[in-house]
Amino acid sequence: MAPLTWFRRHLVVIFGLLTLGYLLLPNVVVTVFSFNDPAGRFNYAWNEFSTDAWSRPCGVDGLCASLALSLQLALWSTLAATVLGTMTAFALARYRFRARGAVNSLIFLPMAMPEVVMAASLLTLFLNMGARLGFWTVLIAHIMFCLSFVVTAVKARVMSMDPRLEQAAQDLYAGPAQTFLRVTLPIAWPGIAAGALLAFALSFDDFIITNFTAGSTVTFPMYVWGSAQRGTPVQINVVGTAMFLVAVLVVVVSMAVGNGRKRMKA
């Protein structure tokens, strides 16, 4: 009965670890095949261990250019969506105005609508406006669908804030700008950061909307899709592994900083 009792006590932990392993399995496969030396054009079967792809991450024409373009689009769209989304979230959470309920409903439409429908609608809009498809049309499209996710994340944080903290700052003769910078913004910052990280990931990873609005512009997801048709270079796995490691590093550093602040307050 002892093994059965131990299993029952640790059932949640066991299932949590199994779920985590299931989620991380594709990343493990990508990492393993980044050290592969494929026999043909496709990096789908293990041949032999090699570090050539890691020593030449830009050894394939167009890969690093598409990666730089995706990073540039993700940074600019994240910056714009975070600023606009934060202001929208504060307006929806703090103020009452006409059509506030309609605006709340419209915010969720880009998240609920299928991407292919949104992509076709944006393409129709740009063509009717006579816009030239390229970097700017992709950037506008990315800001549009990232905005909803930022508003949702920041609004949830703002609605959970205690208004008495801001009132206390005002009672201590803090001005509106000082109250916002020293009280409101630090409290709302976790929601803003979460929305920004989510917007960056969505923008960098998007393919469907980008494919409709890019014209001749080639982002990294489009490059991967095109490479899958004619031969997948190992460098794609290298870039994927590097991005995964950077994301893990960001999470670990943020957790360490948060734990350090909690210890200092304690």
Side-chain angles (χ1 to χ4, degrees):
M1 293 296 293
L4 184 59
T5 303
W6 180 90
F7 181 79
R8 288 177 177 175
R9 289 180 177 177
H10 298 85
L11 186 62
V12 176
V13 177
I14 292 173
F15 276 101
L17 292 175
L18 290 175
T19 303
L20 183 62
Y22 175 76
L23 293 174
L24 292 179
L25 183 60
N27 301 94
V28 174
V29 174
V30 169
T31 303
V32 170
F33 275 84
S34 68
F35 295 97
N36 186 30
D37 184 14
R41 294 182 302 168
F42 296 95
N43 187 27
Y44 299 151
W46 181 263
N47 182 38
E48 63 179 13
F49 181 85
S50 175
T51 58
D52 291 342
W54 281 94
S55 61
R56 297 183 299 108
C58 295
V60 182
D61 292 337
L63 189 148
C64 284
S66 64
L67 176 62
L69 179 61
S70 287
L71 291 173
Q72 186 178 359
L73 282 168
L75 288 172
W76 282 114
S77 60
T78 298
L79 179 62
T82 302
V83 173
L84 295 174
T86 300
M87 292 190 294
T88 304
F90 271 95
L92 292 174
R94 293 290 182 86
Y95 301 98
R96 296 191 177 276
F97 50 88
R98 290 183 179 181
R100 179 170 174 263
V103 174
N104 271 315
S105 300
L106 290 173
I107 289 295
F108 288 96
L109 279 182
M111 294 188 292
M113 186 182 299
E115 279 195 60
V116 67
V117 176
M118 187 187 305
S121 302
L122 285 170
L123 177 60
T124 304
L125 174 64
F126 290 139
L127 292 179
N128 288 334
M129 293 176 59
R132 183 178 180 181
L133 299 181
F135 176 86
W136 293 108
T137 54
V138 176
L139 180 60
I140 293 171
H142 283 206
I143 294 173
M144 192 204 69
F145 72 78
C146 289
L147 187 62
S148 297
F149 293 91
V150 175
V151 171
T152 303
V154 178
K155 183 184 173 185
R157 181 66 179 180
V158 173
M159 294 184 67
S160 65
M161 292 170 54
D162 189 352
R164 292 175 297 182
L165 296 175
E166 295 171 298
Q167 294 172 3
Q170 294 170 0
D171 291 339
L172 295 172
Y173 303 102
Q178 195 174 13
T179 301
F180 178 78
L181 292 175
R182 296 197 175 186
V183 178
T184 308
L185 187 60
I187 298 176
W189 178 249
I192 298 173
L197 291 175
L198 184 60
F200 182 88
L202 290 170
S203 176
F204 181 83
D205 189 55
D206 183 76
F207 171 77
I208 298 177
I209 296 176
T210 305
N211 191 38
F212 273 74
T213 59
S216 59
T217 303
V218 180
T219 62
F220 182 69
M222 294 176 64
Y223 183 89
V224 174
W225 180 81
S227 299
Q229 314 301 315
R230 60 184 183 271
T232 309
V234 185
Q235 282 81 355
I236 289 179
N237 296 67
V238 173
V239 173
T241 303
M243 295 296 294
F244 173 71
L245 293 177
V246 169
V248 172
L249 181 63
V250 170
V251 172
V252 172
V253 170
S254 62
M255 291 179 62
V257 171
N259 292 334
R261 289 179 178 177
K262 289 181 180 178
R263 291 176 182 175
M264 289 178 63
K265 291 181 180 180

